[in-house]
Structure formats: C-alpha cells, structure tokens
Amino acid sequence: MKFVHETSPQRIRFATGDAAGGVAAEIGLLGAQKVMVIAAAAERDIAESVTAGIAVVLRHDEVVMHVPVDVAVRARAAASRADADAIVCVGGGSTTGLAKAVALTTGLPIVAVPTTYAGSEATNVWGMTEGAKKTTGTDPKVLPAAVVYDASLMFSLPVDLSVASGLNALAHCVDSLWAPRANPINAALAAEGARALAAGLPQIVQDPRDVEGREQALYGAYLAAVAFASAGSGLHHKICHVLGGKYDLPHAQTHATVLPYVLAFNAPNAHGAEERLRTAFGSSTGQAGLQALRQALDAPRALRDYGFKEGDIPAAVDDILHVAPATNPTPVNADNLARLLKSACEGSEIE
C-alpha cells in the first residue's frame, strides 16, 4: 500500500434528544459569549430550542440554496456588526454553507447542528454561486469545530426530503470510492456509510419517527461526509455542482437523481468500488443494490422534474468537461457525458 490520508480535526457529539445540551457544552468549550445563530425561517422554532442555553447576540435567517455571494456578504456584515465570536448553524446544507461562507472570511468557529443528511457539517468544503456559476474550494477555517447530531431533529423532515437528502449522503459514499484522493481508509468509511444509509432510509420511509432508522441514516451521513472530505470531489459531484449552480436545481434531489447514472457509467471500470458497494448493499452487484434501494424509497427519477431540459445538455457538458477529474475510472468525453445527462434528464431505465 502507498497512500496519504488526512483526518479532519473536529469534535462529534451524538446526542439524540439533547441537542440543546450538546450545543451548550460545545459553546462552553469554545468560551464563546456572543453567538451568531444561522437558521432559515422554517427552522426558527428548532433553532430557538437548540440554542436556549447559550448567549445569542444575533439570529440570522437569510438562507438561500447554493449560497449566493450577495447573501454571504450580508451575513458577514451582520456578524461583524454584532461582534460575534462564534456561529451556531441549525439546518441543512444551505444553512451550513452560509455559516462556512461567514467563517471563510472571519475565522469564526462553527458549531453545526444538522437537520438533514447533507453532510456539509463534516467537510472543509465551501461553495458559493454568482452569475449562474458555483465556485467551490477547501479551507480549514470552514470546517465546523464541532457537530451536534440529534436524530430527533430529523422527525419533522418530510419523507421525500429525507429520501433525497439520504441519497445525497449516499452519493458522498459512492463518489469517495473513485475520487482523486481515494484511499483504503476513506473507502472503508464510505462502505460502512453506505451500509448504514441502506439500512436506515427504508425504516424512515416505513415510519418517519423511527429513532433507529433516523440514527442509522445520520451515522451513515456522517461517515459519508468524512470519506468525501478526505477523497475529494469525483465525477458525480462535479456534475451536480455544475447543474446546481448553472440551472438552480435543488441540491439533494439533483444528487439523488444523477447518482445511479454515474455509478452505471463508472462501475465497469471501478471493480473495487463495485465490490464494496455489493457488500454494503448485500446485493448481487453494487448497481443492483442501489436500484433496489431507490425503488424501495420511491427515489427522485428525472432531472426534467426539477427544471433541467434536454436543450440544456450541450452547455452543461461544456462546463462539466472543464472540471471532470482526469482520474475518473471511465474516461469522460463530450459524447458519453451527453448520453449520461440525457438519461438522467429523462429518467431512463439503466441496463
């Protein structure tokens, strides 16, 4: 073996039913006295409950998908005016993304409290959009100092969004198996994350308030994000970042829709990844396992359902080709990428 693996410095606290206690403990460890709370208006009640035991100087609720630059600028200015010394973000990937955008320029430490399975809370990756282009990067300043996971906060997440968000997490697992910095350690994390997500998500569909299902999905989402943070962005994420920024497609649903087509595209030339997924799903092949899971979950099927049109494919192909990893298992060109996007647009059956 010959590889380099980097582990992110971060405290993780699983505290089902006690997010408020976990947040108070983490803020206490930071010694923060002027906390900026970032949470969308829809998460206001949860955020107030979770942050009841800390000194809040500002509650900021301008949260927008894909973090437009102007939204980030206003949040940074608000943090400066309030003289905040820490951030608590309560919500999904867009909320965590905004907290990261503030931390990127201010250096403020973040305590993240996820309410979806997005995984952004466990990575040092930031992303912002401007002029229909999404720019991403990595910086240690944006990695939350601590994450408080409370599965009970997921009870209010509708089943369809739970499925999309969970499959977004699964995409982190799959992409980590062939991303530019893939190695045996993050592959092991990704495989266990896929197993946990495949176990937990069907339980959530059957009973949205099933604690075990929610905990398994949350545990899997965390492992998925850690694997992704180490391995980097593979072809799947490069495709979805272009589509999300350029066409303002919903993040989780886009990932959930594109995933099976990227797996089918790469699987013939990624035998190690296929074997790990086969084992994780307990299926004859990784592709068969993913398809069976998607069927059980009634997963999103077609990008056209979210506003992507066949006429958008040529421009999308041009942008994706500029960022597609050279190390992708199946070499990417304009023709095979266009076929992949056409299939994902239509929701075609995968052979």
Side-chain angles (χ1 to χ4, degrees), residues 180-205:
R181 299 190 302 276
N183 66 52
I185 295 175
N186 52 48
L189 294 170
E192 171 63 3
R195 183 210 61 77
L197 286 159
L201 292 174
Q203 292 177 254
I204 293 169
V205 170

Side-chain angles (χ1 to χ4, degrees), residues 29-85:
L29 289 171
L30 290 173
Q33 299 293 324
K34 297 180 178 180
V35 180
M36 175 186 190
V37 176
I38 298 178
E43 304 273 20
R44 181 179 295 114
D45 290 346
I46 291 176
E48 289 181 354
S49 174
V50 164
T51 59
I54 63 174
V56 176
V57 295
L58 171 65
R59 294 187 181 275
H60 188 86
D61 65 2
E62 188 189 10
V63 175
V64 181
M65 186 172 63
H66 303 304
V67 194
V69 168
D70 59 329
V71 172
V73 169
R74 287 193 288 273
R76 291 164 177 167
S80 178
R81 288 193 300 270
D83 195 25
D85 59 3

Side-chain angles (χ1 to χ4, degrees), residues 259-268 274 284-292 294 301 339-340 343-344 346-351:
L259 178 59
Y261 299 100
V262 177
L263 178 56
F265 182 82
N266 274 341
E274 170 67 18
S284 58
T285 67
Q287 291 183 77
L290 177 59
Q291 289 301 90
R294 286 173 51 80
R301 292 184 57 84
R339 288 195 297 271
L340 187 158
S343 295
E346 298 173 349
S348 302
E349 291 294 328
I350 297 174
E351 298 180 0

